[in-house]
Amino acid sequence: QVQLVESGGGLVQAGGSLRLSCAASGSTTMHGSMAWYRQAPGKQRDLVGTISIGGRPNYVDSVKGRFTISRDDAKKSVFLQMNSLKPEDTAVYYCNADVTYWGNGRYNTENYWGQGTQVTVSS
């Protein structure tokens, strides 16, 4: 069964840092771009940033200069380093990626979401 498994969330004071990880399970590969999203209570899920196949990241304005997205294709993983955290960064964070796996006699590529990890920033 293919899964994206997230880890690294938690409670941190404003100004602190957290590093989120997201790894694909099983005999899978991740060839395409990857992304991080977040969803605050009562709000829609919003894009935080993306990273291309070649490792080029892009960020929404609210996190530029504070967050860094990276990937390790050998480990089938994507990471989100969050520095200078603010209370408004409090949300459930989700990774998203196209995952390729072998099934039914062929390679299949489908889009998957991680299970989400809570990040809470106290003031």
Side-chain angles (χ1 to χ4, degrees):
Q1 183 178 1
V2 176
Q3 287 183 309
L4 293 181
V5 180
E6 298 183 35
S7 61
L11 173 64
V12 64
Q13 289 187 332
S17 299
L18 283 173
R19 178 178 169 87
L20 306 184
S21 300
C22 171
S25 64
S27 298
T28 56
T29 56
M30 294 196 289
H31 294 297
S33 63
M34 305 176 194
W36 285 95
Y37 289 76
R38 64 186 180 185
Q39 187 168 18
K43 297 189 176 181
Q44 66 181 20
R45 189 173 299 185
D46 291 327
L47 179 68
V48 173
T50 62
I51 186 165
S52 69
I53 297 172
R56 178 174 295 179
N58 279 289
Y59 308 97
V60 297
D61 287 344
S62 60
V63 307
K64 280 181 181 177
R66 301 188 298 123
F67 289 12
T68 302
I69 298 175
S70 60
R71 62 189 289 165
D72 185 334
D73 291 342
K75 295 182 179 179
K76 302 179 294 183
S77 296
V78 61
F79 307 97
L80 178 64
Q81 177 67 45
M82 304 183 292
N83 298 327
S84 302
L85 282 161
K86 304 176 181 180
E88 52 263 43
D89 295 318
T90 295
V92 177
Y93 283 71
Y94 298 90
C95 61
N96 179 271
D98 289 334
V99 181
T100 300
Y101 62 94
W102 179 259
N104 296 323
R106 62 185 179 93
Y107 286 106
N108 306 272
T109 299
E110 296 182 10
N111 186 260
Y112 286 87
W113 290 91
Q115 82 279 12
T117 186
Q118 177 70 47
V119 171
T120 303
V121 185
S122 63
S123 58

